[in-house]
Amino acid sequence: MNIYIAGKTVVGLLYPLFKAVQVYDVNNNVVINTAQKFISGIEELLSTFSSLEFVRYRDYVFFNKQRLKYEIDSYANLQFMNTQLQMLNIKSITFKRGITQEEVIDFASIFKEDRITFQRKLAEKKFQHIDIEILKSDKEPDEPIENGQMAKRTYFKALKVTKNLMQNLWTGRPVDVKSSRRVIYGLVDSISRDEFGILALTTIKNFDEYTFNHSLNVGILSLALGQRIGLDRKNLARLGTSGILHDIGKVEISKELINKIQKLTNDEWETLKLHSNYGVREILKTRGLDETSMFAITVAYQHHWNYDGTGYPLREKEDEPTLFSRIVRICDSYDAMTTARGYQPVPYLPHFALRVIWSNQNRLFDPILAKVFTQLLGIYPVGSCLELSSGEIGVVMRQNPSTIDLPNIKIVVDSSSNKIDGRMIDLAAHTEIKIIRPTYPQIYGINPAAYFL
Amino acid sequence: MKDNVAQIILGLTKSFKTMQMYGMNHSSFRHFFEPFYQKTAEHLRDHNEISFKVEKFQMVHDDQVVYKEEEMDMSIAFRLFKDGIRNISFMSGLTSDELLLFVDVISRPAKDWDVALGLWECNFTHITFYVIEAEEVPDYRVPDVPIQYVDYDEKLKQLILREKIDIDAVIIPDLDLDEVEDLKKCISIEEKIAILPVVIKTLGDYLLTDRSEEIIDGLIEILESCVNMKDFYNARRIAYKLKDIPKINFIERFENETTIASFRETLNVPEDEVFNEFLAFLGFFGEKSIPFLMELMPFIERTDRLNALRHRVAHIAEDNPSPIASFLHSKEPGTVLNAINILGLIKPADIAKMLDPLVIHPNREVRLAVIEALGNAGQIDIVIKYINDPDVEARIRSLRILSKFKRPEIYPVLLERIKHGSFLRLDFAEQREIFSVLTANAGDDFVETMQGILFKRKWFGKKKYRVMRRLAALALNQIGTDESIAVLKNGMQKRNKDIKFACETVLKERSS
């Protein structure tokens, strides 16, 4: 069994145990049975691993140094564990060989206590086969520089490669496929290490180079959504490539038409719609026909197919968009709505864009994916500007996986409307500060992307 | 611990070197690799993980340099470092195959080989690594946003109007169990089903509006890969989409000995569906493929499949059967048989001429096949020759065929045959077939002659006459005219037991 599966298994065994001690007395059979199940499960794992260590770092839980990702099938278990660890200020828990039933029940029973009682009881208990390390202060350790730096390097490298790829196609020069493959794996790595880190960079929107940024952003958003639904690395690499290449057919359409500000004529609109077809041709030209490009071809062709059977290019009744196409359909729409363009000088607020997606599930978008996308981005996606009850303005810096409507924000405008480099606030921990409503960053001359660089 | 790590590094170094020099199948490599794996697995059982920080020419474990090699070509550290790998970890559960693949990837000739990409594409479960992009973050400045008044309420109104959304709708994005199951099913379908059919459909749909060279080339490329993979289902779907495109001979590339010989593995697959898809795909093949398809036939184990392939080849050779005819001269009786059979299916006008040289073929099976083929083609001039064949089966088959045709000139010939004493030495089955042919080609005196045989003991001695009476009665019944039935009814009144029995039996059969 690999570490990742093992980690998910232990979390899956812990959750019912914690729940059982919350409801029943420690001598109740339900608790005893759940504890026995837990022990037999982890004993099996301890024959492979010398110990089972959970570490909470930022909003993530790591198992034996591997990050456990929020996936649909383990979301509730992991969210519970994360919240408990955060609430009790626990940095790490390690289960060791030789653990007994008594220890397990004792351990679970103190977990239902508040932070102070928990720490007192923990000091009394002195577990032999369970190590629990408490954070020295409420403040979590700083993120290692290279993580954030890594995300940025990966993002800008990917942007450069995407730009080169498209420019080379425009000018008929050969395309460096190896670089694109490498970039995709870099993005997959980055997403699996810290999806919020790289997701934040999708707030970088470039009016002049819309197509490049948009393609990359769609690739990243698709990867994050793909990871959330549990795709493996191989499929993530395919999905990321498909996301980045989804609009590649636009290289065959004149830039004047693509950037046209005025309303398109019917003919122009029909021409623009052909980019889905052209995408197929461009991918074949660029990459030939490996397995990944087959996925990309399908997505390029289908990314304007709606969930209800409408959309373009025309299709037969029985033709359904693939899962990847449905993912890219959502991410493409979201990024397009939240980006300023000639005909849309003030883009949708991320919050509104998400509402549009939510309201159009079943019609334009796959309803299940729309839900997962909302879970992923939160009610106020990263980069949103929020008016707060304190009179300040904050930019959403990252989500709280356990409370999707209470993100971590950075104060960027004080209550006197002065731009400031303010503090970080976890709104889940500071319930006294309320969100009044999302707001337009233009009002304050703010570019949210600046806070992620 | 320190010793362990040193031994692991030593194992890695030696495995790396021997892999480079001899490759993974050489005993020298195995000699070093196996203990290397054992040591690593042993270490991981106790420690879960072993991790190395990668620097330019060295690797560091627990803040200690455990590997150092400054010769670029020989340095594992440098190979990893140059492609951005800064950390490498082996996890508990590591398999020998994973470690082998790892050594293979890092040992490949360095030029143009990206170790990080190579490792990524291996999708390891128990080996993780940390890659950084060498380039620094550019001095990127996000564009300044000028302060601009945006009327929130107005924007919101526009949004609601344009998108027709309920802005206050409560959003609860939790999935219920059914939705989770649905999604898992989708993922497993996406992961398991081949993307190929979707791509074929996409490219095919595209072709309907634009016969672009790239699309056609793309489909041909997929076709090639399908043929190589023996995926005839998809190959056929592509061929169908390409068949109407002028000036493109997409099948020509497969009409060669090597490709067609490679189809041998499909001939005896257990699944009929696979074989049938293969046959259907062959429908797109042309004349050039015939010699190679003929060579495939001896490898088919099942008769029904052999017949199906013969039909397919017959279809291909329909307009020009001469490539098939050339196989009639083969020294392999099996091949000759196939050729005869296929010609029998095609029924070319000159089939009699083609098969004539085989009438006296020493192989009995060949002669039987000729009879069958000519019979199917209605060319009975040669079939007649077989009524004197030394093989009883050949004679019987030829007679059966002749009984289906009207050739009055053979009536006197057969009548003479019956009269001959040798007739009585024949098997009853053959005797009966001769009477059948006689019946089919009956002359004016047929009933009278049969009546003579039935009642008067014409030609032969008393002893053998029971058989002759029976045959005559059968023939009279077979021709079934009022006159012949009257003879049989008359026979029933006879006192002679043999006559009575012969007539009663056939009339009883008739009435039933």
Side-chain angles (χ1 to χ4, degrees), chain A residues 273 304-306 308-315 329:
Chain A
K273 275 160 58 175
H304 285 289
W305 281 7
N306 297 328
D308 64 0
T310 57
Y312 62 88
L314 282 179
R315 57 172 146 162
R329 175 86 184 90

Side-chain angles (χ1 to χ4, degrees), chain B residues 381-394:
Chain B
D381 287 348
I382 303 179
V383 179
I384 294 173
K385 294 181 184 175
Y386 283 98
I387 61 174
N388 293 315
D389 193 276
D391 183 79
V392 61
E393 184 66 25

Side-chain angles (χ1 to χ4, degrees), chain A residues 308-326:
Chain A
D308 64 0
T310 57
Y312 62 88
L314 282 179
R315 57 172 146 162
E316 285 161 32
K317 238 182 184 175
E318 67 273 15
D319 290 342
E320 281 180 11
T322 61
L323 175 66
F324 286 8
S325 301
R326 301 198 305 271

